[in-house]
Amino acid sequence: MKRTGIFFTYFQGERLRDFPQALAGILDKENVSYYDAVYNSGDGLYYLEPVPEELLLRVHSWNMVQQVKLTGDYESALYSAGGTVQAAAKIWQGKFDNAFIFTSFGDHHAGRNFYGGMCYFNGAALAITALRERGVKRFAIVDTDSHHADGTRDIFGNDNDVLHICLCYQDHQDNHNNVDIKIPHHTSDEEYLAKIKQEFVPRAVAFKPDYIFWEFGYDATQGEYGDKGLTKDCHPKLAGLIKGAADKVCHGRLITILCGGSGRTLATYTIPRIIRCLAELGNCQ
Ligand SMILES: [Zn+2]
Ligand SMILES: [Zn+2]
């Protein structure tokens, strides 16, 4: 079994209302560690740490950080991205193999000097910046949110040590390891999974990253706001493929970050299945 860290921040919104209760049967497993910013009580629980401002300013501009402070969401955003930074460090220390990060604000629309689409700070970029200080060199980011990862692309667009594979509506392009895989407006699970197998896995194997980050959005599911025709059962299968790549190329080091998606029922259905897959508590489906 894999040792899996779960990082939970829940401050507002509907979609995670069933959590952490929906993780019953997972949180009590010996190979699962749970870090919480809100529901911590008493001894024995782990605390989630916010991103230090010093690290924040190495990815995002001072102006942008000041703007986020004015929104009233600043502290929540620090905890939200903090899970990814903390998970990356714990994995490097050997505390666990992979992690799932529940975010209250996403990552991938947050660039150096802009934010939007419910993304304030780019947790993956912050984690990569912190890992580089520890001497970690190469990273792959795969993004299965329905929308283009403009923020992540802004930060890593000219970075030859970060492979960024974004499945979105853009035309296929490949510059400096930045690849957009065009997904049609209506696709099937089979076609989508085939894209991961053909476009992501071989590139990741050739690139030899030290970590894989998965920007997991479920907004491409049928009925969601980025509907591409995927069913609710596609995401655990994606987890299986991406985890398989991480096992093959980087000792299983995989950080899964919750991105877009709004449905509560869908979150409650799919996220426990993904975590079971990551922790090898069940099949990836
Ligand atoms: Zn999206
Ligand atoms: Zn894209």
Side-chain angles (χ1 to χ4, degrees):
M1 274 192 294
K2 286 276 194 283
R3 294 162 303 156
T4 297
I6 299 174
F7 292 77
F8 192 84
T9 57
Y10 173 49
F11 292 90
Q12 59 187 18
E14 194 47 35
R15 70 174 178 171
L16 297 180
R17 194 138 289 183
D18 298 328
F19 290 87
Q21 313 85 273
L23 300 176
I26 294 175
L27 296 182
D28 59 345
K29 295 291 188 291
E30 238 170 61
N31 60 321
V32 173
S33 308
Y34 183 62
Y35 291 73
D36 196 318
V38 179
Y39 295 101
N40 45 32
S41 58
D43 297 330
L45 278 175
Y46 300 108
Y47 289 79
L48 198 153
E49 295 158 13
V51 179
E53 191 165 279
E54 173 271 327
L55 176 61
L56 200 60
L57 289 169
R58 289 170 57 206
V59 171
H60 299 292
S61 71
W62 187 87
N63 275 335
M64 177 189 146
V65 170
Q66 303 316 306
Q67 283 169 30
V68 176
K69 283 181 179 172
L70 297 175
T71 64
D73 291 328
Y74 180 66
E75 206 192 2
S76 305
L78 289 182
Y79 278 101
S80 185
T84 307
V85 174
Q86 200 176 359
K90 298 276 179 202
I91 289 173
W92 196 245
Q93 291 158 6
K95 294 260 168 55
F96 35 79
D97 304 296
N98 58 34
F100 187 97
I101 321 297
F102 287 88
T103 55
S104 41
F105 300 102
D107 266 39
H108 75 164
H109 295 310
R112 285 197 183 283
N113 196 29
F114 62 87
Y115 62 88
M118 292 291 285
C119 301
Y120 288 119
F121 300 133
N122 198 307
L126 290 159
I128 287 170
T129 302
L131 283 170
R132 281 178 162 162
E133 275 189 3
R134 296 171 185 261
V136 189
K137 294 208 162 59
R138 286 167 81 79
F139 307 89
I141 303 171
V142 57
D143 191 314
T144 64
D145 185 281
S146 188
H147 303 99
H148 179 57
D150 55 342
T152 308
R153 187 59 53 85
D154 175 60
I155 295 167
F156 293 118
N158 291 313
D159 194 321
N160 289 322
D161 290 320
V162 178
L163 172 70
H164 183 217
I165 309 278
C166 174
L167 287 83
C168 60
Y169 51 83
Q170 308 264 99
D171 283 335
H172 185 285
Q173 56 160 298
D174 190 344
N175 290 316
H176 298 284
N177 308 310
N178 288 272
V179 187
D180 283 317
I181 309 294
K182 187 178 168 75
I183 301 293
H185 284 296
H186 292 284
T187 189
S188 65
D189 291 359
E190 290 69 29
E191 283 168 347
Y192 198 94
L193 293 162
K195 294 266 192 213
I196 291 287
K197 277 188 211 160
Q198 292 156 9
E199 304 280 1
F200 169 65
V201 176
R203 282 187 171 89
V205 169
F207 193 77
K208 295 190 176 68
D210 297 300
Y211 276 74
I212 295 175
F213 292 81
W214 175 23
E215 299 281 2
F216 156 63
Y218 61 90
D219 52 355
T221 319
Q222 292 169 13
E224 276 283 333
Y225 57 85
D227 187 343
K228 293 263 174 73
L230 303 183
T231 76
K232 62 187 188 335
D233 292 312
C234 189
H235 308 291
K237 292 174 187 162
L238 280 174
L241 292 177
I242 295 167
K243 175 176 171 293
D247 287 346
K248 201 166 177 177
V249 300
C250 52
H251 309 282
R253 291 186 204 112
L254 169 63
I255 299 180
T256 301
I257 305 161
L258 179 59
C259 242
S262 63
R264 173 178 174 179
T265 311
L266 202 47
T268 304
Y269 179 85
T270 200
I271 292 172
R273 282 171 171 77
I274 289 173
I275 294 176
R276 283 182 175 281
C277 168
L278 296 176
E280 297 177 351
L281 296 168
N283 294 329
C284 299
Q285 48 194 308

